[in-house]
Amino acid sequence: MDSIVEETACMIPVLGMLTYSRFELADRLLASIDYPVEDLVIIDNSGKQQYLPVKPELVKRMWLIQVPYGLGYGGGLNLIVKSTPFAPYWVLLNDDSVLAPGALQKISEEVDPQTINFLSIMPKWSGFVLGEGAVLKAGLFDERFHPIYFEDNDYERRLQAAGVKTNFIYAELGHDNSSTLNSGFHSKNDVTFRANSLLFQKKVAEDDLSQGDWSLEIRRVNAWDK
């Protein structure tokens, strides 16, 4: 089946996803891939080395990156981009999303690599397409927002300030919202949500449009994995 992928001229350059606790939903997403993908990059943030995905037939190469401790949402997405630096765009999906038939083909046909491309999914940052032009102008996610929440608010603010345009693609995805939180992380999220909210407010008040620097102190304080 690899030969079929290699002979297909049009394909998604990179499809990336993070997974943490709901591997069965991640497998559901992989099963919904119905259009050729050159590189599928999976960041396993669980630290358990238990996820063993099977490469979908329409994927040319699959890369499973397992880390001892989670990188967080922003950190994981950043690693997907950093590990595939020559892609014109990156399709970045939550592992609890699922592609409707034809969604990837529609993305391939209508994507604008100079913009941030949003899809037919809510919340809108649960599945989006990041163009190279957006990264060149605004950088990547601020990894201090660990492990999740407010990194998208911060990034959208920085994209707008950098003059990055928005493109909307009517490519439909389903989504099991808050599946990670519902796996037993509500109490930890109560703490980190507040901390990330305060960091976001501080950046806005100081007109801080930087990507920020990863902080060991914040990573330890905001840990869900200790």
Side-chain angles (χ1 to χ4, degrees):
M1 202 67 181
D2 283 346
S3 61
I4 294 178
V5 177
E6 292 169 0
E7 292 169 3
T8 304
C10 298
M11 60 173 55
I12 299 294
V14 177
L15 191 157
M17 76 168 187
L18 317 178
T19 190
Y20 187 69
S21 60
R22 297 293 302 276
F23 300 147
E24 78 282 6
L25 295 181
D27 284 338
R28 183 187 66 176
L29 172 57
L30 298 187
S32 70
I33 295 174
D34 63 356
Y35 189 80
V37 172
E38 186 168 6
D39 286 302
L40 169 63
V41 183
I42 303 171
I43 309 294
D44 180 0
N45 267 332
S46 70
K48 297 178 180 178
Q49 294 184 304
Q50 294 176 352
Y51 185 45
L52 299 173
V54 176
K55 185 176 77 68
E57 291 182 339
L58 289 174
V59 170
K60 184 176 180 181
R61 295 182 294 265
M62 182 178 75
W63 309 89
L64 175 63
I65 302 174
Q66 294 178 314
V67 293
Y69 294 94
L71 301 171
Y73 186 70
L77 294 181
N78 286 355
L79 182 56
I80 292 170
V81 175
K82 290 176 182 178
S83 63
T84 54
F86 301 105
Y89 63 89
W90 299 264
V91 179
L92 302 172
L93 307 178
N94 282 14
D95 66 346
D96 56 2
S97 64
V98 60
L99 293 153
L104 285 178
Q105 180 175 351
K106 198 167 187 63
I107 291 171
S108 176
E109 294 170 349
E110 299 184 12
V111 64
D112 183 346
Q114 299 307 310
T115 71
I116 177 73
N117 302 260
F118 290 115
L119 310 172
S120 297
I121 185 173
M122 291 298 292
K124 65 182 179 181
W125 287 97
S126 301
F128 61 98
V129 184
L130 184 60
E132 61 183 354
V135 178
L136 289 169
K137 287 183 178 180
L140 292 169
F141 288 90
D142 187 337
E143 297 184 25
R144 292 176 297 174
F145 294 99
H146 187 88
I148 193 170
Y149 293 123
F150 291 97
E151 73 289 311
D152 50 357
N153 304 81
D154 177 71
Y155 195 46
E156 187 163 6
R157 172 175 161 267
R158 289 166 43 217
L159 287 168
Q160 292 172 352
V164 176
K165 295 182 179 179
T166 298
N167 181 44
F168 187 82
I169 303 172
Y170 288 93
E172 185 178 350
L173 291 88
H175 183 221
D176 288 14
N177 197 24
S178 299
S179 65
T180 298
L181 287 184
N182 293 332
S183 299
F185 295 98
H186 280 286
S187 60
K188 292 181 181 292
N189 180 65
D190 289 343
V191 176
T192 59
F193 187 92
R194 170 67 173 166
N196 287 345
S197 174
L198 291 173
L199 174 58
F200 178 66
Q201 293 173 40
K202 182 175 184 292
K203 290 192 71 173
V204 172
E206 297 177 356
D207 197 25
D208 180 357
L209 296 170
S210 72
Q211 181 175 317
D213 294 315
W214 181 82
S215 165
L216 178 60
E217 180 181 5
I218 290 176
R219 173 60 182 88
R220 288 176 171 175
V221 169
N222 284 12
W224 286 12
D225 44 13
K226 285 293 278 187

